[in-house]
Amino acid sequence: MKVLVIGSGAREHALCRALSLDPHVTALHCAPGNAGIAQVAELHPVDALDGKAVAALAEELGAGLVVVGPEAPLVAGVADAVREAGIPCFGPSGQAARLEGSKAFAKDVMAAAGVPTARSYVCTTPEEAETALDAFGAPYVVKDDGLAAGKGVVVTDDLEAAKAHAAACERVVVEEFLDGPEVSLFAITDGETVLPLQPAQDFKRARNGDEGPNTGGMGAYSPLPWAEPKLVDEVLATVLQPTVDEMRRRGTPFSGLLYAGLAITSRGVRVIEFNARFGDPETQVVLARLKTPLAGVLLAAADGTLADLAPLRWSEDAAVTVVLASHNYPGAPRTGDPITGLDEVEAQDAPHAYVLHAGTRRDGDAVVSAGGRVLSVTATGEDLTQARDRAYTAVARIHLDGAHHRTDIALKAASGEQ
């Protein structure tokens, strides 16, 4: 099978790495890709938001499967264009991707499907937002209704900061704060059958101790030793399957990756948000533990045969990923800085630790930073403690001027806490 992956981040590098290890994949392509992905896939220039261009590239390459990684192309309908060209595509239609593209739409679907989530108000004026904020009280949760690359959510005790974020957005969802630890659970679906993956936890805040501004994610780990054994089955029954069934009932079946961001509250599991694609950085740790070859699973979702698939096989190992971010991230990042130490990680830490590229590009013989989140340093081990040790040993070999990373990824979980 020839596979084309669309995207250029660490999520796409994780997908390409997994696909490159699949014996059924005879050729692997990525567009536009990055400096790290170039080591496992052939890169092609393409406007990832241009469905016709993506479909034309897939036809030219003779791709038997296209995997659309990021949310923006999915919401733009790129998967529709690929399917219209007669090529199997992993990723929801533009209409179905509204589960991520519009928080208000997702709330409507959850209400219709009976999915437990936070109480909320959809607000289009500052006055409406102020009324909603007063109704819920602190901590205030304000979400941009549209796509915001993981940075459209403000959670704060500062009322003025909450009002300012609401005023800066065209439409916002103001909702009650959900207590308890957060969990990310991915599910692969063909629109009927829902196949949950292993849960993970990510770290949204920029600094240790969950301090600092929200980011796209500074690290993640899997499995969750503190989680109830029945968690995945419970979420499948109360969240994932009802949502997929409701989308099909509406005539917009959801096929691809349904990501449920969950809060394990004192009142039970509640959905924080849905995403319509693999999450970053959780994909890095989930795929590190998947033993079943990936291409066949994604193809089964694309062609509607997930029900015929054998149960997924998982490693008992733990996985941890630590994000190395550029100077000033999540503000406007500095780019163009050389990255050194990547060869040392490959020579001394593989195969238990490896580097997945996010915002990188080649500049002559050098690899330089090209975005806010630059690298995801990922490691596996017999338990979270060993995986953490290996990940941070590898991080220490890498130098990027002005870079920062959290030092507490999976620390509590490795110590037996949530």
Side-chain angles (χ1 to χ4, degrees), residues 344-354:
E344 285 86 343
V345 174
E346 174 68 27
Q348 299 186 52
D349 302 307
H352 300 299
Y354 48 89

Side-chain angles (χ1 to χ4, degrees), residues 104 121-130 132 143 145 166-174:
Y121 296 101
V122 179
C123 308
T124 55
T125 67
E127 293 76 21
E128 289 176 352
E130 189 167 342
K143 299 180 176 182
D145 180 54
C169 303
E170 191 173 327
R171 184 160 82 150
V172 295
V173 174
V174 176

Side-chain angles (χ1 to χ4, degrees), residues 52-364:
K52 288 185 178 178
V54 171
L57 175 61
E59 286 186 296
E60 180 187 329
L61 297 173
L65 174 67
V66 174
V67 180
V68 183
E71 60 271 28
L74 291 168
V75 172
V78 167
D80 302 89
V82 173
R83 278 190 279 266
E84 284 166 13
I87 300 167
C89 185
F90 182 82
S93 67
Q95 280 194 307
R98 289 181 66 208
L99 269 180
E100 177 169 5
S102 168
K103 306 284 192 301
F105 175 75
K107 287 288 188 183
D108 184 61
V109 170
M110 283 188 267
V115 170
T117 186
R119 293 179 297 126
S120 64
Y121 296 101
V122 179
C123 308
T124 55
T125 67
E127 293 76 21
E128 289 176 352
E130 189 167 342
T131 299
L133 291 166
D134 287 343
F136 288 132
Y140 305 105
V141 181
V142 185
K143 299 180 176 182
D144 190 335
D145 180 54
L147 294 179
K151 296 186 283 290
V153 179
V154 165
V155 181
T156 179
D157 289 318
D158 184 339
L159 180 58
E160 294 308 312
K163 289 179 182 177
H165 184 60
C169 303
E170 191 173 327
R171 184 160 82 150
V172 295
V173 174
V174 176
E175 63 183 39
E176 66 174 329
F177 177 77
L178 296 173
D179 65 320
E182 295 184 12
V183 172
S184 300
L185 186 60
F186 301 163
I188 291 173
T189 177
D190 57 10
E192 292 192 24
T193 300
V194 181
L195 189 66
L197 305 185
Q198 290 289 303
Q201 186 175 58
D202 76 332
F203 294 75
K204 289 294 187 195
R205 299 285 185 168
R207 293 191 282 276
N208 286 357
D210 293 326
E211 299 288 333
N214 248 14
T215 72
M218 295 298 292
Y221 70 92
S222 178
L224 313 182
W226 50 266
E228 291 281 346
K230 64 180 182 180
L231 176 64
V232 173
D233 289 341
E234 179 186 345
V235 175
L236 176 60
T238 62
V239 174
L240 299 170
Q241 192 70 57
T243 300
V244 169
D245 292 345
E246 172 63 18
M247 291 295 287
R248 190 173 66 253
R249 188 191 69 76
R250 291 175 176 228
T252 53
F254 188 101
S255 167
L257 195 291
L258 179 60
Y259 165 137
L262 308 164
I264 313 301
T265 77
S266 54
R267 294 173 291 147
V269 174
R270 298 287 185 273
V271 175
I272 301 169
E273 65 176 354
F274 283 131
N275 289 335
R277 38 72 194 182
F278 280 100
D280 184 345
E282 301 98 319
T283 301
Q284 288 86 304
V285 293
V286 172
L287 292 186
R289 299 184 57 225
L290 180 65
K291 294 176 75 173
T292 301
L294 182 61
V297 181
L298 303 186
L299 182 62
D303 65 16
T305 59
L306 265 186
D308 302 331
L309 209 64
L312 297 180
R313 294 180 295 111
W314 295 94
S315 167
E316 293 295 318
D317 283 355
V320 171
T321 193
V322 178
V323 171
L324 201 66
S326 57
H327 176 75
N328 199 44
Y329 178 80
R334 192 174 77 203
T335 60
D337 289 314
I339 304 165
T340 60
L342 300 175
D343 291 342
E344 285 86 343
V345 174
E346 174 68 27
Q348 299 186 52
D349 302 307
H352 300 299
Y354 48 89
V355 180
L356 298 169
H357 292 230
T360 68
R361 63 178 174 82
R362 281 222 163 263
D363 184 4

